[in-house]
Amino acid sequence: MYLSAAGHDSYPEVADEALAERAAGDFDAFEELYRRYLPPIYRFVRSQVRDDATAEDITAHIFFRALASAASFRSDGSYKSWIFRIAHNSIVSWRKRSDRSKPVEEIPDHPDPDPSPALQAVARDTSGRIWGRVEQLPPAQREVVTLLYGEDLTIEETARVTRRTRGAVRILLHRARRRLRHSFEREEL
Amino acid sequence: VGDMIDQLIAEAVDSMAPRPGFASELLIALRGRPALAISDDESRSRVRWIVASALAGAASVSIVLVALHQRGRTRRSRFDALMKRS
């Protein structure tokens, strides 16, 4: 559960799912969920699009949808998965509409060399530079990496959000990590 | 290497905070717009689109059927006339 972003203590200990059940008819309950989830949802969206303005538009759309369909939330699932699923769908729709996904240059699939040069390259890298590489991953890999490492979702939750099997998520993750490792190693050479 | 990559990605994602003021602006917008308004608009336009498509489809099918029927009748009457003459 994400902590409140602002000093809003109406529901300090109430679980997300309990709030979600009331959100359809109680705006305060929805507002508490909004405070908890705006930062992670924005971060997730921002990590998938190229600029702040688009991230803001999509984030707004996600919360309008979450509010509009609050009554459809079922308490047997987690709210976190539910709202990230809305975010995933919104990003997919945006990608289809804007057609901004650019093909990524294929990285040759060769065996891993000694990891030590890569380790040094990673150690020297800043977050900004590493993100530059993450941005070059294909959208599906970037999404999985962001959900797992950026937002601490589990493999199970990521699979639910992206409507993939756990195996498919693991494969995407493995490919993403391999691409990133190759990217560091190529820089090193 | 993997652990360091994971950690650096987590740091990079963590630094992507919304700009100051965005949270309040969006909250005001959400507060001003009732939840049902969005779903109503969306479902109404969807229903309108489905009804219009269904009507257009039905109209096209009936035009084709009527045309085929007329053609069949004309052919049949010509055939009957020929048969009578012979």
Side-chain angles (χ1 to χ4, degrees), chain A residues 5 9 107 132:
Chain A
D9 295 331
I107 295 171

Coordinates of all heavy atoms in Angstrom, one line a residue, chain A residues 5 9 107 132:
Chain A
A5 N 0.3 11.0 0.0 CA 1.3 12.0 -0.5 C 1.1 13.3 0.3 O 2.1 14.1 0.5 CB 1.0 12.3 -1.9
D9 N -5.5 12.7 6.7 CA -5.5 11.6 7.7 C -6.9 11.1 7.9 O -7.2 10.5 9.0 CB -4.9 12.1 9.0 CG -3.4 12.4 8.8 OD1 -2.8 11.8 8.0 OD2 -2.9 13.2 9.6
I107 N 19.3 -6.2 -30.7 CA 20.6 -6.5 -30.2 C 21.0 -7.9 -30.5 O 20.2 -8.8 -30.2 CB 20.7 -6.2 -28.7 CG1 20.4 -4.7 -28.5 CG2 22.0 -6.6 -28.1 CD1 20.2 -4.3 -27.1
G132 N 17.9 6.2 -20.0 CA 18.0 6.4 -21.4 C 18.1 5.0 -22.1 O 17.5 4.8 -23.2

